[in-house]
Short mmCIF file of all heavy atoms in Angstrom, two decimals:
data_model
loop_
_atom_site.label_atom_id
_atom_site.label_comp_id
_atom_site.label_asym_id
_atom_site.label_seq_id
_atom_site.Cartn_x
_atom_site.Cartn_y
_atom_site.Cartn_z
N THR A 82 -2.85 -4.40 -4.55
CA THR A 82 -1.42 -4.10 -4.24
C THR A 82 -1.25 -2.66 -3.75
O THR A 82 -1.96 -2.22 -2.85
CB THR A 82 -0.51 -4.37 -5.48
OG1 THR A 82 -0.80 -3.42 -6.51
CG2 THR A 82 -0.72 -5.76 -6.02
N THR A 83 -0.34 -1.89 -4.33
CA THR A 83 -0.04 -0.54 -3.82
C THR A 83 -1.12 0.46 -4.20
O THR A 83 -1.00 1.64 -3.90
CB THR A 83 1.29 -0.07 -4.44
OG1 THR A 83 1.20 -0.19 -5.86
CG2 THR A 83 2.45 -0.88 -3.90
N LYS A 84 -2.17 -0.01 -4.85
CA LYS A 84 -3.29 0.87 -5.20
C LYS A 84 -4.54 0.46 -4.44
O LYS A 84 -5.66 0.77 -4.81
CB LYS A 84 -3.50 0.85 -6.72
CG LYS A 84 -2.27 1.42 -7.44
CD LYS A 84 -2.36 1.36 -8.93
CE LYS A 84 -1.19 2.08 -9.57
NZ LYS A 84 0.11 1.46 -9.29
N ARG A 123 3.35 6.12 4.39
CA ARG A 123 3.10 6.43 2.97
C ARG A 123 1.99 7.47 2.88
O ARG A 123 1.08 7.53 3.71
CB ARG A 123 2.69 5.14 2.23
CG ARG A 123 2.56 5.33 0.72
CD ARG A 123 2.00 4.12 0.02
NE ARG A 123 1.86 4.36 -1.44
CZ ARG A 123 1.08 3.64 -2.24
NH1 ARG A 123 0.36 2.65 -1.75
NH2 ARG A 123 1.01 3.91 -3.53
N HIS A 124 2.01 8.26 1.85
CA HIS A 124 0.94 9.25 1.62
C HIS A 124 -0.40 8.54 1.51
O HIS A 124 -0.48 7.32 1.35
CB HIS A 124 1.22 10.02 0.33
CG HIS A 124 1.34 9.12 -0.86
ND1 HIS A 124 0.25 8.53 -1.48
CD2 HIS A 124 2.41 8.65 -1.50
CE1 HIS A 124 0.67 7.77 -2.46
NE2 HIS A 124 1.96 7.80 -2.49
N ARG A 127 -4.24 8.51 -3.69
CA ARG A 127 -3.88 9.51 -4.69
C ARG A 127 -4.55 9.17 -6.03
O ARG A 127 -5.05 8.07 -6.23
CB ARG A 127 -2.37 9.55 -4.88
CG ARG A 127 -1.77 8.24 -5.42
CD ARG A 127 -0.34 8.41 -5.87
NE ARG A 127 0.28 7.15 -6.27
CZ ARG A 127 0.07 6.57 -7.45
NH1 ARG A 127 -0.77 7.12 -8.34
NH2 ARG A 127 0.66 5.43 -7.77
N PRO A 129 -4.27 8.59 -10.19
CA PRO A 129 -3.27 7.91 -11.02
C PRO A 129 -2.18 8.87 -11.51
O PRO A 129 -2.41 10.07 -11.62
CB PRO A 129 -4.08 7.41 -12.22
CG PRO A 129 -5.51 7.57 -11.87
CD PRO A 129 -5.62 8.57 -10.78
N THR A 130 -1.01 8.31 -11.77
CA THR A 130 0.05 9.13 -12.38
C THR A 130 -0.30 9.34 -13.86
O THR A 130 -1.08 8.57 -14.43
CB THR A 130 1.41 8.41 -12.28
OG1 THR A 130 1.26 7.08 -12.80
CG2 THR A 130 1.87 8.35 -10.83
N ILE A 131 0.32 10.33 -14.47
CA ILE A 131 -0.05 10.72 -15.84
C ILE A 131 0.12 9.58 -16.83
O ILE A 131 -0.71 9.38 -17.72
CB ILE A 131 0.72 11.99 -16.26
CG1 ILE A 131 0.16 12.57 -17.57
CG2 ILE A 131 2.22 11.74 -16.37
CD1 ILE A 131 0.67 13.97 -17.87
N LYS A 132 1.17 8.78 -16.62
CA LYS A 132 1.41 7.69 -17.58
C LYS A 132 0.26 6.69 -17.53
O LYS A 132 -0.15 6.14 -18.55
CB LYS A 132 2.75 7.00 -17.29
CG LYS A 132 2.78 6.16 -16.05
CD LYS A 132 4.18 5.57 -15.78
CE LYS A 132 4.17 4.78 -14.47
NZ LYS A 132 5.46 4.37 -13.98
N ASN A 133 -0.31 6.49 -16.35
CA ASN A 133 -1.43 5.54 -16.24
C ASN A 133 -2.74 6.16 -16.71
O ASN A 133 -3.60 5.47 -17.25
CB ASN A 133 -1.53 5.03 -14.81
CG ASN A 133 -0.42 4.03 -14.50
OD1 ASN A 133 0.20 3.50 -15.42
ND2 ASN A 133 -0.13 3.82 -13.24
N LYS A 136 -2.92 5.64 -20.36
CA LYS A 136 -3.29 4.25 -20.72
C LYS A 136 -4.79 4.03 -20.50
O LYS A 136 -5.47 3.41 -21.31
CB LYS A 136 -2.50 3.26 -19.85
CG LYS A 136 -1.01 3.20 -20.12
CD LYS A 136 -0.33 2.28 -19.12
CE LYS A 136 1.19 2.39 -19.14
NZ LYS A 136 1.83 1.64 -18.04
N LYS A 214 7.18 15.82 -2.67
CA LYS A 214 6.08 15.56 -3.61
C LYS A 214 4.77 16.06 -3.02
O LYS A 214 4.48 15.83 -1.82
CB LYS A 214 5.95 14.05 -3.87
CG LYS A 214 6.92 13.54 -4.93
CD LYS A 214 6.42 13.82 -6.32
CE LYS A 214 7.33 13.16 -7.36
NZ LYS A 214 6.94 13.50 -8.73
N ARG A 216 1.77 15.03 -3.01
CA ARG A 216 0.90 14.09 -2.31
C ARG A 216 1.37 13.85 -0.88
O ARG A 216 0.57 13.57 0.01
CB ARG A 216 0.75 12.78 -3.06
CG ARG A 216 2.03 12.04 -3.44
CD ARG A 216 1.69 10.80 -4.21
NE ARG A 216 2.83 10.16 -4.86
CZ ARG A 216 3.27 10.45 -6.08
NH1 ARG A 216 2.68 11.41 -6.79
NH2 ARG A 216 4.30 9.81 -6.62
N CYS A 217 2.70 13.97 -0.68
CA CYS A 217 3.25 13.76 0.66
C CYS A 217 3.09 15.02 1.51
O CYS A 217 2.73 14.94 2.69
CB CYS A 217 4.71 13.35 0.57
SG CYS A 217 4.94 11.79 -0.29
N ARG A 249 13.09 10.52 -0.02
CA ARG A 249 13.25 10.09 -1.43
C ARG A 249 14.71 9.71 -1.66
O ARG A 249 15.34 10.10 -2.65
CB ARG A 249 12.78 11.18 -2.39
CG ARG A 249 11.28 11.42 -2.38
CD ARG A 249 10.85 12.44 -3.44
NE ARG A 249 11.10 11.96 -4.80
CZ ARG A 249 10.25 11.17 -5.48
NH1 ARG A 249 9.13 10.77 -4.91
NH2 ARG A 249 10.54 10.76 -6.70
N PHE A 251 15.97 7.15 -2.74
CA PHE A 251 16.19 6.39 -3.98
C PHE A 251 16.60 7.32 -5.14
O PHE A 251 17.28 6.91 -6.07
CB PHE A 251 14.93 5.60 -4.36
CG PHE A 251 13.66 6.35 -4.10
CD1 PHE A 251 13.12 7.18 -5.06
CD2 PHE A 251 13.03 6.27 -2.86
CE1 PHE A 251 11.98 7.91 -4.82
CE2 PHE A 251 11.86 6.99 -2.61
CZ PHE A 251 11.34 7.82 -3.59
N ASP A 262 16.88 1.97 -11.56
CA ASP A 262 15.88 2.89 -12.11
C ASP A 262 16.02 3.07 -13.62
O ASP A 262 15.03 3.08 -14.35
CB ASP A 262 16.04 4.27 -11.42
CG ASP A 262 14.69 4.95 -11.25
OD1 ASP A 262 13.66 4.28 -11.46
OD2 ASP A 262 14.67 6.16 -10.96
N GLU A 304 -3.65 -3.85 -17.59
CA GLU A 304 -3.21 -3.11 -16.40
C GLU A 304 -4.06 -1.85 -16.22
O GLU A 304 -4.47 -1.52 -15.10
CB GLU A 304 -1.75 -2.72 -16.59
CG GLU A 304 -0.95 -2.54 -15.30
CD GLU A 304 0.52 -2.26 -15.59
OE1 GLU A 304 1.16 -3.06 -16.29
OE2 GLU A 304 0.99 -1.20 -15.13
N ASP A 308 -6.30 -0.96 -13.04
CA ASP A 308 -6.10 0.32 -12.34
C ASP A 308 -7.41 1.09 -12.24
O ASP A 308 -7.73 1.68 -11.21
CB ASP A 308 -5.06 1.18 -13.08
CG ASP A 308 -3.63 0.74 -12.79
OD1 ASP A 308 -3.46 -0.16 -11.94
OD2 ASP A 308 -2.70 1.29 -13.41
N TYR A 312 -8.76 2.43 -8.82
CA TYR A 312 -8.87 3.86 -8.52
C TYR A 312 -10.33 4.28 -8.30
O TYR A 312 -10.63 5.09 -7.41
CB TYR A 312 -8.25 4.70 -9.64
CG TYR A 312 -6.74 4.77 -9.58
CD1 TYR A 312 -5.96 4.22 -10.61
CD2 TYR A 312 -6.07 5.38 -8.52
CE1 TYR A 312 -4.56 4.27 -10.55
CE2 TYR A 312 -4.68 5.45 -8.46
CZ TYR A 312 -3.94 4.89 -9.47
OH TYR A 312 -2.56 4.94 -9.43
N ASN A 339 2.32 -6.83 -10.25
CA ASN A 339 2.81 -5.64 -9.54
C ASN A 339 3.74 -6.02 -8.39
O ASN A 339 4.68 -5.30 -8.08
CB ASN A 339 1.64 -4.78 -9.02
CG ASN A 339 2.12 -3.37 -8.61
OD1 ASN A 339 3.09 -2.85 -9.18
ND2 ASN A 339 1.51 -2.81 -7.59
N LYS A 342 7.06 -6.19 -9.80
CA LYS A 342 7.65 -4.84 -9.95
C LYS A 342 8.24 -4.39 -8.61
O LYS A 342 9.40 -3.97 -8.52
CB LYS A 342 6.59 -3.84 -10.41
CG LYS A 342 7.08 -2.39 -10.30
CD LYS A 342 5.99 -1.36 -10.55
CE LYS A 342 6.47 0.04 -10.20
NZ LYS A 342 5.43 1.07 -10.33
N GLN A 343 7.45 -4.48 -7.55
CA GLN A 343 7.90 -3.99 -6.25
C GLN A 343 9.06 -4.82 -5.72
O GLN A 343 10.01 -4.30 -5.13
CB GLN A 343 6.73 -3.98 -5.26
CG GLN A 343 5.50 -3.21 -5.71
CD GLN A 343 5.74 -1.72 -5.94
OE1 GLN A 343 6.72 -1.17 -5.42
NE2 GLN A 343 4.89 -1.08 -6.71
N LYS A 346 12.15 -3.89 -7.95
CA LYS A 346 12.52 -2.47 -8.03
C LYS A 346 12.70 -1.86 -6.64
O LYS A 346 13.45 -0.89 -6.48
CB LYS A 346 11.45 -1.69 -8.79
CG LYS A 346 11.83 -0.24 -9.05
CD LYS A 346 10.94 0.44 -10.08
CE LYS A 346 11.49 1.80 -10.45
NZ LYS A 346 10.65 2.49 -11.46
N ARG A 347 12.01 -2.40 -5.64
CA ARG A 347 12.02 -1.77 -4.32
C ARG A 347 12.40 -2.72 -3.18
O ARG A 347 12.44 -2.28 -2.03
CB ARG A 347 10.63 -1.20 -3.99
CG ARG A 347 10.04 -0.30 -5.07
CD ARG A 347 10.83 0.97 -5.23
NE ARG A 347 10.30 1.83 -6.31
CZ ARG A 347 10.95 2.90 -6.76
NH1 ARG A 347 12.11 3.24 -6.24
NH2 ARG A 347 10.47 3.64 -7.74
N GLY A 391 6.32 9.64 3.30
CA GLY A 391 6.97 9.41 2.00
C GLY A 391 6.11 8.56 1.10
O GLY A 391 4.87 8.70 1.09
N HIS A 392 6.78 7.64 0.40
CA HIS A 392 6.13 6.86 -0.66
C HIS A 392 6.20 5.37 -0.36
O HIS A 392 6.91 4.96 0.57
CB HIS A 392 6.86 7.13 -1.99
CG HIS A 392 6.94 8.58 -2.35
ND1 HIS A 392 6.05 9.21 -3.18
CD2 HIS A 392 7.81 9.55 -1.94
CE1 HIS A 392 6.36 10.49 -3.29
NE2 HIS A 392 7.42 10.73 -2.54
N ALA A 393 5.55 4.58 -1.19
CA ALA A 393 5.70 3.13 -1.09
C ALA A 393 7.18 2.78 -1.25
O ALA A 393 7.73 1.92 -0.55
CB ALA A 393 4.89 2.43 -2.17
N GLU A 394 7.86 3.54 -2.11
CA GLU A 394 9.28 3.27 -2.36
C GLU A 394 10.19 3.88 -1.32
O GLU A 394 11.41 3.78 -1.41
CB GLU A 394 9.68 3.70 -3.77
CG GLU A 394 9.52 5.18 -4.08
CD GLU A 394 8.21 5.46 -4.77
OE1 GLU A 394 7.23 4.76 -4.51
OE2 GLU A 394 8.17 6.41 -5.58
N THR A 395 9.59 4.52 -0.31
CA THR A 395 10.36 4.91 0.88
C THR A 395 10.29 3.78 1.91
O THR A 395 11.28 3.37 2.48
CB THR A 395 9.75 6.19 1.51
OG1 THR A 395 9.54 7.18 0.51
CG2 THR A 395 10.62 6.72 2.63
N MET A 431 1.35 -2.71 1.70
CA MET A 431 1.59 -1.37 1.21
C MET A 431 0.35 -0.68 0.62
O MET A 431 0.39 -0.16 -0.50
CB MET A 431 2.70 -1.46 0.16
CG MET A 431 3.53 -0.21 -0.04
SD MET A 431 4.11 0.61 1.43
CE MET A 431 5.13 -0.68 2.14
N TYR A 433 -2.47 2.50 0.48
CA TYR A 433 -2.33 3.93 0.74
C TYR A 433 -2.31 4.14 2.26
O TYR A 433 -3.03 3.47 3.00
CB TYR A 433 -3.51 4.70 0.14
CG TYR A 433 -3.57 4.62 -1.37
CD1 TYR A 433 -4.65 4.04 -2.01
CD2 TYR A 433 -2.52 5.09 -2.15
CE1 TYR A 433 -4.71 3.94 -3.39
CE2 TYR A 433 -2.56 5.01 -3.54
CZ TYR A 433 -3.66 4.44 -4.15
OH TYR A 433 -3.70 4.34 -5.51
O1 LIG B 25 2.48 2.68 -11.73
P1 LIG B 25 2.52 4.00 -11.06
O2 LIG B 25 2.83 5.16 -11.95
O3 LIG B 25 1.34 4.26 -10.20
O4 LIG B 25 3.78 3.90 -10.08
C1 LIG B 25 4.07 5.01 -9.30
C2 LIG B 25 4.22 4.56 -7.89
O5 LIG B 25 3.02 3.97 -7.49
P2 LIG B 25 3.00 2.45 -6.99
O6 LIG B 25 3.75 1.66 -8.00
O7 LIG B 25 3.70 2.46 -5.67
O8 LIG B 25 1.56 2.14 -6.92
C3 LIG B 25 4.49 5.76 -7.02
O9 LIG B 25 4.61 5.34 -5.67
P3 LIG B 25 3.72 6.13 -4.58
O10 LIG B 25 3.96 5.42 -3.28
O11 LIG B 25 4.22 7.54 -4.58
O12 LIG B 25 2.31 6.01 -5.04
C4 LIG B 25 5.80 6.41 -7.46
O13 LIG B 25 6.03 7.55 -6.65
C5 LIG B 25 5.70 6.80 -8.93
O14 LIG B 25 6.93 7.33 -9.32
C6 LIG B 25 5.36 5.61 -9.78
O15 LIG B 25 6.36 4.62 -9.55
P4 LIG B 25 7.21 4.09 -10.78
O16 LIG B 25 8.13 3.09 -10.15
O17 LIG B 25 7.90 5.30 -11.33
O18 LIG B 25 6.24 3.45 -11.74
#
Side-chain angles (χ1 to χ4, degrees):
T82 68
T83 54
K84 297 177 173 64
R123 186 187 179 199
H124 57 76
R127 64 168 174 79
T130 52
I131 191 167
K132 72 184 177 190
N133 286 343
K136 291 175 192 171
K214 277 279 186 185
R216 54 182 168 272
C217 298
R249 292 185 64 85
F251 39 88
D262 214 12
E304 207 176 304
D308 282 355
Y312 281 116
N339 195 31
K342 168 189 171 184
Q343 305 298 340
K346 186 166 188 179
R347 309 293 178 190
H392 305 264
E394 61 264 32
T395 311
M431 206 46 62
Y433 296 117

